[in-house]
Amino acid sequence: LFLATDGSAPDNEPIGTFGWVLATSDTILLSGFGPTHGQPPSSFRSEAVGLLAGILAYAAVIGFVGASNPPQLECYLDSASVHDRLLAIIQHPVTLSLARSADSDALMTLRDHWSSRTYGGSINWIRGHQDSRGPKQQQLSWPAQLNIRADTLATQGRRHYKRFPPPAFVPFPASSITLFHNNIPRCSKYTQLLRWHQADNRFHTYLCARLGLPAPRHRSIDWEAYESARSKATLPLLRFSTKTLIGW
């Protein structure tokens, strides 16, 4: 069987999404999409969680049909970084540095499920978006066509979660500790978060005093949306907003 997965995490989106496709050599059997929780969103995490979702879906099928000798699974993803990182983790002992690295919860859970599987298979990298490089989709290899379908599902998931709230985050079983910031799991850039936390608190205290904002009102403001809009503002507007907020 073939499993093709893909992940997406566009800039300024609150969550990432993924898609997966399970197929025989000529027929798609199952497919799905889902959200990738964790701040800051990244395509790496979305790709890793997408692969994990597909592997879990195959395990659920095996359990449902009671297959004692399931067919091997050839996995394809277009993220070379996830592919290389995961194979390195599978082939070498786990070290403390892994626990401190980005997205270690998803990678460790992937490692556990892949190492304990009851079927043969492999994890392969495939070039993504091959349909945009000339050949028609029908002329591409079957794994490449499945990867395109997985990419479409990840995009479909992004549209879906703009209309409907995503399900709540559940910490990965292989993660002994999950760091939350503002009730959202933090999955990378831990040092940056801790380094700026105290400075942010001082700035928020100053801002509330300057503008006469009570703390609950200050917390109700969507500062991430403001930050996103500010990053696209012209220099004169940046100067104006800075002077208005801070008084510089």
Side-chain angles (χ1 to χ4, degrees):
L1 296 180
F2 295 88
L3 172 66
T5 64
D6 194 47
S8 173
D11 293 338
N12 303 321
E13 293 289 344
I15 61 171
T17 54
F18 61 81
W20 58 267
V21 181
L22 183 65
T24 65
S25 58
D26 57 9
T27 304
I28 293 178
L29 302 175
L30 293 171
S31 63
F33 62 76
T36 304
H37 296 277
Q39 289 292 326
S42 70
S43 58
F44 181 96
R45 184 173 181 82
S46 295
E47 294 275 2
V49 175
L51 178 59
L52 175 61
I55 291 173
L56 289 175
Y58 184 48
V61 170
I62 292 173
F64 180 77
V65 302
S68 58
N69 187 26
Q72 71 176 34
L73 186 66
E74 299 300 326
C75 305
Y76 291 87
L77 71 162
D78 60 13
S79 172
S81 56
V82 173
H83 170 268
D84 296 346
R85 186 79 186 283
L86 181 57
L87 290 188
I89 293 172
I90 291 173
Q91 297 168 1
H92 298 91
V94 176
T95 62
L96 182 60
S97 63
L98 173 62
R100 295 196 298 261
S101 63
D103 305 308
S104 60
D105 56 345
L107 292 172
M108 282 299 301
T109 304
L110 255 174
R111 175 186 184 274
D112 289 355
H113 280 282
W114 187 254
S115 300
S116 62
R117 72 190 189 283
T118 58
Y119 51 86
S122 63
I123 299 174
N124 309 279
W125 174 79
I126 188 170
R127 187 178 300 278
H129 306 287
Q130 293 190 34
D131 56 331
S132 65
R133 292 180 171 85
K136 295 182 179 180
Q137 185 168 335
Q138 295 81 357
Q139 298 173 328
L140 298 173
S141 67
W142 184 233
Q145 295 182 48
L146 296 177
N147 176 258
I148 294 169
R149 174 58 180 159
D151 176 72
T152 302
L153 286 166
T155 303
Q156 181 181 342
R158 189 164 65 252
R159 295 197 208 99
H160 176 83
Y161 294 120
K162 286 183 177 179
R163 297 179 57 200
F164 305 99
F169 171 73
V170 177
F172 289 98
S175 178
S176 300
I177 298 174
T178 301
L179 176 65
F180 284 81
H181 179 237
N182 293 332
N183 296 321
I184 300 174
R186 184 76 179 194
C187 306
S188 64
K189 300 183 179 178
Y190 310 109
T191 303
Q192 181 187 71
L193 173 66
L194 297 173
R195 179 181 296 140
W196 287 102
H197 175 72
Q198 190 62 31
D200 284 348
N201 282 343
R202 290 198 302 269
F203 176 70
H204 293 165
T205 301
Y206 166 80
L207 205 57
C208 286
R210 171 175 168 74
L211 301 179
L213 288 175
R217 178 68 181 277
H218 180 273
R219 288 193 293 269
S220 70
I221 298 174
D222 189 348
W223 290 106
E224 291 186 0
Y226 169 77
E227 180 183 4
S228 174
R230 181 181 167 84
S231 68
K232 302 173 184 177
T234 61
L235 182 58
L237 186 57
L238 284 175
R239 289 173 175 169
F240 173 79
S241 60
T242 300
K243 186 174 181 180
T244 302
L245 281 176
I246 306 176
W248 291 354

